[in-house]
Amino acid sequence: MKRSSETSDDSLTPSQQMISSCSGAILTSVFVTPLDVVKIRLQAQSKPQAFTKGHCYLYCNGLMDHTCVCLNGNTVNLSVNAKSWQKNWYKRPGNFNGMFDALYRIGRNEGITSLWSGLPPTLVMAVPATVVYFTSYDQIKTALSHSYNIPVHTWWIPVVSGSSARVFAATVISPLELIRTKMQSEQLTYRQVREAVRTTIQQDGSLSLWRGLAPTLLRDVPFSALYWLSYEMMKAKVMKDGQSTKLSFVESFVSGACAGTLAGIVTLPFDVIKTHRQIELGEVVFAKEKKEVSSTWKLIQNLYRQQGIKALFTGLAPRVMKVAPACAIMISTYEHCKLFFRQRNLELQENR
């Protein structure tokens, strides 16, 4: 069977794929971060007890989750300590009446840059993770297509490629995220971090650096498999119906949003479990004394016993509102950048 050349990335180098995915990750972070800043500020004013000193909360911008800690129970005067004020951006006061009111009043009273207060940790961790993930996906997809001489949109290729790429990216990034979380909790220097890592390995073994990987994969692997399957199928359908050799920016944007929405809805129970598990693991990292971490299965049992089956399907609207635009911006930017490099490579070949 002949491969579908219009969806192949043979003409792109790994570095060009990495630049494309990096561009998409940065653009997605810039666009989606204000929504999560507003969400956290709304949560802080409705449930201030959830942000007391030493407690953890989950920050997510649609690309990557971050377990964060409330380092100071008191708000800080900007004129006294600007660094501490920036650190505790989620503690700033405000009586907001909803998302749009919060967007307007934060921008007017605190400066427009306050809407991007949570951006630095995202750029430090999410961009490298996204680059590894998307580049791995394209490399695995192309290799499988070559090996079996079939189109890249054959249903099992995006499923295997997406799952494998997610496992690889999460495994590579997991120790870095754990170290970053530890640095945030205790404000450690790089030398102290090295000592903390060495002590952790001596006490709990090397696998302790991948603590929390299992609940991450529990959600992200099914999401990746379903997302890439849906996207590649919609992509092939649009290109076949339109007899086109490439997707337009709008077509990839809509396809990405639809695929992200479908995957987000189906994998919502995994997301709920992963959120609870990640916060629990974060509190263990922040704790001064040893705490026991319950198993993922025990967490599922506790949720079901306390709140019933509905506990596994909470937060559907916020998840879709975040995942859909994040997936749409990411994939459309990624595809558009790859198209730019394909055309550039073709021009260079013709000029030789």
Side-chain angles (χ1 to χ4, degrees), residues 160-196:
V160 173
S161 302
S163 301
S164 302
R166 177 56 73 186
V167 171
F168 177 67
T171 303
V172 170
I173 295 297
S174 185
L176 300 179
E177 174 67 8
L178 191 66
I179 292 171
R180 185 199 67 81
T181 303
K182 188 70 175 176
M183 289 182 67
Q184 182 195 33
S185 67
E186 300 181 14
Q187 297 298 294
L188 303 177
T189 64
Y190 288 105
R191 182 177 179 179
Q192 290 172 322
V193 169
R194 287 196 300 269
E195 289 298 318

mmCIF file of all heavy atoms in Angstrom, residues 160-196:
data_model
loop_
_atom_site.group_PDB
_atom_site.id
_atom_site.type_symbol
_atom_site.label_atom_id
_atom_site.label_comp_id
_atom_site.label_asym_id
_atom_site.label_seq_id
_atom_site.Cartn_x
_atom_site.Cartn_y
_atom_site.Cartn_z
ATOM 1 N N VAL A 160 -0.226 4.316 18.729
ATOM 2 C CA VAL A 160 1.059 3.831 19.244
ATOM 3 C C VAL A 160 2.062 4.976 19.364
ATOM 4 O O VAL A 160 2.788 5.094 20.355
ATOM 5 C CB VAL A 160 1.612 2.718 18.331
ATOM 6 C CG1 VAL A 160 3.027 2.315 18.756
ATOM 7 C CG2 VAL A 160 0.697 1.505 18.353
ATOM 8 N N SER A 161 2.099 5.847 18.350
ATOM 9 C CA SER A 161 3.053 6.957 18.353
ATOM 10 C C SER A 161 2.762 7.933 19.482
ATOM 11 O O SER A 161 3.675 8.377 20.189
ATOM 12 C CB SER A 161 3.013 7.682 17.005
ATOM 13 O OG SER A 161 3.307 6.807 15.942
ATOM 14 N N GLY A 162 1.490 8.298 19.654
ATOM 15 C CA GLY A 162 1.115 9.232 20.706
ATOM 16 C C GLY A 162 1.387 8.682 22.090
ATOM 17 O O GLY A 162 1.909 9.385 22.967
ATOM 18 N N SER A 163 1.042 7.409 22.305
ATOM 19 C CA SER A 163 1.272 6.789 23.609
ATOM 20 C C SER A 163 2.763 6.685 23.911
ATOM 21 O O SER A 163 3.213 7.004 25.018
ATOM 22 C CB SER A 163 0.634 5.393 23.647
ATOM 23 O OG SER A 163 -0.754 5.460 23.406
ATOM 24 N N SER A 164 3.536 6.229 22.936
ATOM 25 C CA SER A 164 4.979 6.057 23.139
ATOM 26 C C SER A 164 5.664 7.397 23.386
ATOM 27 O O SER A 164 6.533 7.510 24.258
ATOM 28 C CB SER A 164 5.604 5.369 21.914
ATOM 29 O OG SER A 164 5.001 4.121 21.663
ATOM 30 N N ALA A 165 5.280 8.414 22.611
ATOM 31 C CA ALA A 165 5.888 9.733 22.778
ATOM 32 C C ALA A 165 5.573 10.321 24.148
ATOM 33 O O ALA A 165 6.427 10.949 24.779
ATOM 34 C CB ALA A 165 5.400 10.675 21.676
ATOM 35 N N ARG A 166 4.353 10.105 24.627
ATOM 36 C CA ARG A 166 3.973 10.630 25.936
ATOM 37 C C ARG A 166 4.737 9.929 27.057
ATOM 38 O O ARG A 166 5.195 10.568 28.002
ATOM 39 C CB ARG A 166 2.469 10.469 26.153
ATOM 40 C CG ARG A 166 1.988 10.926 27.516
ATOM 41 C CD ARG A 166 2.352 12.361 27.805
ATOM 42 N NE ARG A 166 1.555 13.291 27.034
ATOM 43 C CZ ARG A 166 1.735 14.602 27.013
ATOM 44 N NH1 ARG A 166 2.714 15.128 27.726
ATOM 45 N NH2 ARG A 166 0.963 15.381 26.279
ATOM 46 N N VAL A 167 4.868 8.602 26.952
ATOM 47 C CA VAL A 167 5.623 7.863 27.970
ATOM 48 C C VAL A 167 7.068 8.343 28.000
ATOM 49 O O VAL A 167 7.645 8.574 29.075
ATOM 50 C CB VAL A 167 5.572 6.348 27.688
ATOM 51 C CG1 VAL A 167 6.534 5.597 28.603
ATOM 52 C CG2 VAL A 167 4.154 5.818 27.884
ATOM 53 N N PHE A 168 7.664 8.515 26.841
ATOM 54 C CA PHE A 168 9.058 8.951 26.757
ATOM 55 C C PHE A 168 9.230 10.353 27.334
ATOM 56 O O PHE A 168 10.122 10.602 28.163
ATOM 57 C CB PHE A 168 9.527 8.919 25.307
ATOM 58 C CG PHE A 168 10.931 9.432 25.108
ATOM 59 C CD1 PHE A 168 12.012 8.740 25.617
ATOM 60 C CD2 PHE A 168 11.155 10.614 24.422
ATOM 61 C CE1 PHE A 168 13.308 9.218 25.447
ATOM 62 C CE2 PHE A 168 12.442 11.105 24.251
ATOM 63 C CZ PHE A 168 13.522 10.391 24.763
ATOM 64 N N ALA A 169 8.378 11.292 26.920
ATOM 65 C CA ALA A 169 8.500 12.679 27.383
ATOM 66 C C ALA A 169 8.270 12.783 28.887
ATOM 67 O O ALA A 169 9.003 13.472 29.598
ATOM 68 C CB ALA A 169 7.513 13.568 26.630
ATOM 69 N N ALA A 170 7.247 12.098 29.391
ATOM 70 C CA ALA A 170 6.944 12.160 30.823
ATOM 71 C C ALA A 170 8.069 11.541 31.650
ATOM 72 O O ALA A 170 8.399 12.044 32.736
ATOM 73 C CB ALA A 170 5.624 11.441 31.111
ATOM 74 N N THR A 171 8.657 10.466 31.148
ATOM 75 C CA THR A 171 9.743 9.813 31.875
ATOM 76 C C THR A 171 10.975 10.699 31.938
ATOM 77 O O THR A 171 11.658 10.769 32.967
ATOM 78 C CB THR A 171 10.102 8.475 31.202
ATOM 79 O OG1 THR A 171 8.938 7.641 31.143
ATOM 80 C CG2 THR A 171 11.191 7.753 31.970
ATOM 81 N N VAL A 172 11.262 11.409 30.847
ATOM 82 C CA VAL A 172 12.430 12.287 30.810
ATOM 83 C C VAL A 172 12.234 13.495 31.726
ATOM 84 O O VAL A 172 13.153 13.907 32.450
ATOM 85 C CB VAL A 172 12.702 12.758 29.363
ATOM 86 C CG1 VAL A 172 13.751 13.859 29.333
ATOM 87 C CG2 VAL A 172 13.167 11.580 28.513
ATOM 88 N N ILE A 173 11.044 14.063 31.737
ATOM 89 C CA ILE A 173 10.787 15.312 32.452
ATOM 90 C C ILE A 173 10.477 15.097 33.930
ATOM 91 O O ILE A 173 10.721 15.965 34.762
ATOM 92 C CB ILE A 173 9.624 16.066 31.768
ATOM 93 C CG1 ILE A 173 10.033 16.479 30.353
ATOM 94 C CG2 ILE A 173 9.205 17.288 32.567
ATOM 95 C CD1 ILE A 173 11.201 17.442 30.314
ATOM 96 N N SER A 174 9.957 13.926 34.305
ATOM 97 C CA SER A 174 9.491 13.695 35.672
ATOM 98 C C SER A 174 10.525 14.021 36.757
ATOM 99 O O SER A 174 10.193 14.711 37.729
ATOM 100 C CB SER A 174 9.026 12.241 35.821
ATOM 101 O OG SER A 174 8.470 12.021 37.104
ATOM 102 N N PRO A 175 11.782 13.583 36.640
ATOM 103 C CA PRO A 175 12.761 13.958 37.685
ATOM 104 C C PRO A 175 12.998 15.466 37.752
ATOM 105 O O PRO A 175 13.191 16.016 38.842
ATOM 106 C CB PRO A 175 14.040 13.216 37.245
ATOM 107 C CG PRO A 175 13.561 12.113 36.374
ATOM 108 C CD PRO A 175 12.363 12.652 35.672
ATOM 109 N N LEU A 176 12.981 16.143 36.600
ATOM 110 C CA LEU A 176 13.188 17.588 36.583
ATOM 111 C C LEU A 176 12.045 18.314 37.283
ATOM 112 O O LEU A 176 12.258 19.293 37.997
ATOM 113 C CB LEU A 176 13.318 18.087 35.139
ATOM 114 C CG LEU A 176 14.464 17.494 34.312
ATOM 115 C CD1 LEU A 176 14.449 18.060 32.899
ATOM 116 C CD2 LEU A 176 15.805 17.776 34.984
ATOM 117 N N GLU A 177 10.821 17.834 37.081
ATOM 118 C CA GLU A 177 9.664 18.450 37.733
ATOM 119 C C GLU A 177 9.728 18.244 39.240
ATOM 120 O O GLU A 177 9.400 19.147 40.015
ATOM 121 C CB GLU A 177 8.373 17.840 37.164
ATOM 122 C CG GLU A 177 7.097 18.294 37.867
ATOM 123 C CD GLU A 177 6.788 19.766 37.672
ATOM 124 O OE1 GLU A 177 7.469 20.418 36.860
ATOM 125 O OE2 GLU A 177 5.865 20.261 38.344
ATOM 126 N N LEU A 178 10.167 17.067 39.666
ATOM 127 C CA LEU A 178 10.285 16.803 41.100
ATOM 128 C C LEU A 178 11.341 17.708 41.732
ATOM 129 O O LEU A 178 11.143 18.263 42.819
ATOM 130 C CB LEU A 178 10.654 15.333 41.326
ATOM 131 C CG LEU A 178 10.567 14.836 42.772
ATOM 132 C CD1 LEU A 178 9.127 14.838 43.258
ATOM 133 C CD2 LEU A 178 11.163 13.442 42.892
ATOM 134 N N ILE A 179 12.459 17.900 41.035
ATOM 135 C CA ILE A 179 13.521 18.767 41.533
ATOM 136 C C ILE A 179 13.046 20.222 41.568
ATOM 137 O O ILE A 179 13.308 20.954 42.525
ATOM 138 C CB ILE A 179 14.775 18.629 40.646
ATOM 139 C CG1 ILE A 179 15.385 17.228 40.821
ATOM 140 C CG2 ILE A 179 15.808 19.695 40.995
ATOM 141 C CD1 ILE A 179 16.489 16.921 39.840
ATOM 142 N N ARG A 180 12.327 20.664 40.523
ATOM 143 C CA ARG A 180 11.823 22.035 40.485
ATOM 144 C C ARG A 180 10.851 22.283 41.631
ATOM 145 O O ARG A 180 10.859 23.338 42.275
ATOM 146 C CB ARG A 180 11.124 22.296 39.146
ATOM 147 C CG ARG A 180 10.680 23.761 38.975
ATOM 148 C CD ARG A 180 9.618 23.875 37.902
ATOM 149 N NE ARG A 180 8.388 23.224 38.320
ATOM 150 C CZ ARG A 180 7.490 23.782 39.121
ATOM 151 N NH1 ARG A 180 7.685 24.985 39.607
ATOM 152 N NH2 ARG A 180 6.396 23.130 39.450
ATOM 153 N N THR A 181 10.001 21.294 41.898
ATOM 154 C CA THR A 181 9.052 21.417 42.998
ATOM 155 C C THR A 181 9.780 21.523 44.337
ATOM 156 O O THR A 181 9.407 22.314 45.210
ATOM 157 C CB THR A 181 8.104 20.213 43.017
ATOM 158 O OG1 THR A 181 7.439 20.119 41.758
ATOM 159 C CG2 THR A 181 7.064 20.353 44.116
ATOM 160 N N LYS A 182 10.831 20.727 44.509
ATOM 161 C CA LYS A 182 11.617 20.776 45.737
ATOM 162 C C LYS A 182 12.292 22.134 45.893
ATOM 163 O O LYS A 182 12.330 22.699 46.992
ATOM 164 C CB LYS A 182 12.676 19.672 45.699
ATOM 165 C CG LYS A 182 13.441 19.484 47.006
ATOM 166 C CD LYS A 182 12.546 18.892 48.070
ATOM 167 C CE LYS A 182 13.347 18.585 49.330
ATOM 168 N NZ LYS A 182 12.473 18.086 50.421
ATOM 169 N N MET A 183 12.819 22.685 44.809
ATOM 170 C CA MET A 183 13.458 24.005 44.859
ATOM 171 C C MET A 183 12.456 25.070 45.262
ATOM 172 O O MET A 183 12.757 25.982 46.024
ATOM 173 C CB MET A 183 14.079 24.343 43.504
ATOM 174 C CG MET A 183 15.305 23.534 43.148
ATOM 175 S SD MET A 183 16.020 24.038 41.571
ATOM 176 C CE MET A 183 16.611 25.690 41.982
ATOM 177 N N GLN A 184 11.232 24.966 44.735
ATOM 178 C CA GLN A 184 10.211 25.967 45.033
ATOM 179 C C GLN A 184 9.799 25.902 46.504
ATOM 180 O O GLN A 184 9.569 26.934 47.134
ATOM 181 C CB GLN A 184 8.983 25.747 44.161
ATOM 182 C CG GLN A 184 7.900 26.794 44.385
ATOM 183 C CD GLN A 184 6.577 26.372 43.794
ATOM 184 O OE1 GLN A 184 6.254 25.195 43.756
ATOM 185 N NE2 GLN A 184 5.820 27.333 43.324
ATOM 186 N N SER A 185 9.755 24.704 47.054
ATOM 187 C CA SER A 185 9.265 24.546 48.414
ATOM 188 C C SER A 185 10.241 25.075 49.453
ATOM 189 O O SER A 185 9.831 25.576 50.497
ATOM 190 C CB SER A 185 8.972 23.071 48.697
ATOM 191 O OG SER A 185 10.174 22.315 48.693
ATOM 192 N N GLU A 186 11.551 24.962 49.191
ATOM 193 C CA GLU A 186 12.534 25.328 50.198
ATOM 194 C C GLU A 186 13.507 26.408 49.748
ATOM 195 O O GLU A 186 14.435 26.743 50.479
ATOM 196 C CB GLU A 186 13.310 24.072 50.619
ATOM 197 C CG GLU A 186 12.422 22.986 51.211
ATOM 198 C CD GLU A 186 13.219 21.780 51.643
ATOM 199 O OE1 GLU A 186 14.456 21.868 51.731
ATOM 200 O OE2 GLU A 186 12.610 20.725 51.890
ATOM 201 N N GLN A 187 13.334 26.940 48.523
ATOM 202 C CA GLN A 187 14.220 27.987 48.015
ATOM 203 C C GLN A 187 15.695 27.555 48.087
ATOM 204 O O GLN A 187 16.540 28.230 48.658
ATOM 205 C CB GLN A 187 14.015 29.286 48.800
ATOM 206 C CG GLN A 187 12.616 29.866 48.664
ATOM 207 C CD GLN A 187 12.291 30.234 47.218
ATOM 208 O OE1 GLN A 187 12.890 31.127 46.638
ATOM 209 N NE2 GLN A 187 11.344 29.526 46.626
ATOM 210 N N LEU A 188 15.978 26.395 47.507
ATOM 211 C CA LEU A 188 17.313 25.826 47.578
ATOM 212 C C LEU A 188 18.217 26.381 46.487
ATOM 213 O O LEU A 188 17.756 26.754 45.407
ATOM 214 C CB LEU A 188 17.241 24.297 47.435
ATOM 215 C CG LEU A 188 16.369 23.544 48.440
ATOM 216 C CD1 LEU A 188 16.354 22.062 48.111
ATOM 217 C CD2 LEU A 188 16.862 23.764 49.849
ATOM 218 N N THR A 189 19.515 26.401 46.755
ATOM 219 C CA THR A 189 20.499 26.716 45.721
ATOM 220 C C THR A 189 20.740 25.454 44.896
ATOM 221 O O THR A 189 20.336 24.345 45.288
ATOM 222 C CB THR A 189 21.824 27.187 46.349
ATOM 223 O OG1 THR A 189 22.382 26.099 47.099
ATOM 224 C CG2 THR A 189 21.591 28.375 47.274
ATOM 225 N N TYR A 190 21.447 25.606 43.761
ATOM 226 C CA TYR A 190 21.718 24.447 42.918
ATOM 227 C C TYR A 190 22.598 23.420 43.649
ATOM 228 O O TYR A 190 22.448 22.215 43.470
ATOM 229 C CB TYR A 190 22.386 24.888 41.616
ATOM 230 C CG TYR A 190 21.431 25.589 40.686
ATOM 231 C CD1 TYR A 190 21.473 26.966 40.516
ATOM 232 C CD2 TYR A 190 20.467 24.873 39.985
ATOM 233 C CE1 TYR A 190 20.587 27.616 39.672
ATOM 234 C CE2 TYR A 190 19.572 25.497 39.143
ATOM 235 C CZ TYR A 190 19.640 26.873 38.983
ATOM 236 O OH TYR A 190 18.758 27.514 38.152
ATOM 237 N N ARG A 191 23.515 23.914 44.477
ATOM 238 C CA ARG A 191 24.351 23.000 45.251
ATOM 239 C C ARG A 191 23.517 22.219 46.257
ATOM 240 O O ARG A 191 23.707 21.002 46.436
ATOM 241 C CB ARG A 191 25.445 23.787 45.975
ATOM 242 C CG ARG A 191 26.398 22.908 46.770
ATOM 243 C CD ARG A 191 27.498 23.730 47.415
ATOM 244 N NE ARG A 191 28.404 22.899 48.192
ATOM 245 C CZ ARG A 191 29.454 23.367 48.845
ATOM 246 N NH1 ARG A 191 29.733 24.680 48.819
ATOM 247 N NH2 ARG A 191 30.231 22.550 49.535
ATOM 248 N N GLN A 192 22.580 22.915 46.902
ATOM 249 C CA GLN A 192 21.703 22.241 47.853
ATOM 250 C C GLN A 192 20.781 21.244 47.152
ATOM 251 O O GLN A 192 20.448 20.199 47.704
ATOM 252 C CB GLN A 192 20.874 23.281 48.618
ATOM 253 C CG GLN A 192 21.686 24.120 49.587
ATOM 254 C CD GLN A 192 20.871 25.266 50.175
ATOM 255 O OE1 GLN A 192 20.056 25.883 49.486
ATOM 256 N NE2 GLN A 192 21.089 25.549 51.454
ATOM 257 N N VAL A 193 20.390 21.582 45.933
ATOM 258 C CA VAL A 193 19.555 20.663 45.158
ATOM 259 C C VAL A 193 20.319 19.374 44.870
ATOM 260 O O VAL A 193 19.772 18.263 44.990
ATOM 261 C CB VAL A 193 19.096 21.322 43.840
ATOM 262 C CG1 VAL A 193 18.472 20.280 42.920
ATOM 263 C CG2 VAL A 193 18.089 22.424 44.124
ATOM 264 N N ARG A 194 21.583 19.505 44.475
ATOM 265 C CA ARG A 194 22.391 18.313 44.204
ATOM 266 C C ARG A 194 22.502 17.438 45.452
ATOM 267 O O ARG A 194 22.396 16.209 45.373
ATOM 268 C CB ARG A 194 23.781 18.719 43.718
ATOM 269 C CG ARG A 194 23.811 19.267 42.310
ATOM 270 C CD ARG A 194 25.231 19.275 41.764
ATOM 271 N NE ARG A 194 26.124 20.108 42.580
ATOM 272 C CZ ARG A 194 26.345 21.390 42.357
ATOM 273 N NH1 ARG A 194 25.724 22.008 41.353
ATOM 274 N NH2 ARG A 194 27.179 22.084 43.119
ATOM 275 N N GLU A 195 22.691 18.081 46.601
ATOM 276 C CA GLU A 195 22.778 17.328 47.848
ATOM 277 C C GLU A 195 21.447 16.663 48.184
ATOM 278 O O GLU A 195 21.409 15.520 48.656
ATOM 279 C CB GLU A 195 23.204 18.256 48.992
ATOM 280 C CG GLU A 195 24.655 18.700 48.920
ATOM 281 C CD GLU A 195 25.614 17.532 49.008
ATOM 282 O OE1 GLU A 195 25.386 16.631 49.836
ATOM 283 O OE2 GLU A 195 26.588 17.502 48.216
ATOM 284 N N ALA A 196 20.345 17.401 47.941
ATOM 285 C CA ALA A 196 19.021 16.846 48.227
ATOM 286 C C ALA A 196 18.727 15.640 47.338
ATOM 287 O O ALA A 196 18.171 14.633 47.788
ATOM 288 C CB ALA A 196 17.949 17.917 48.033
#
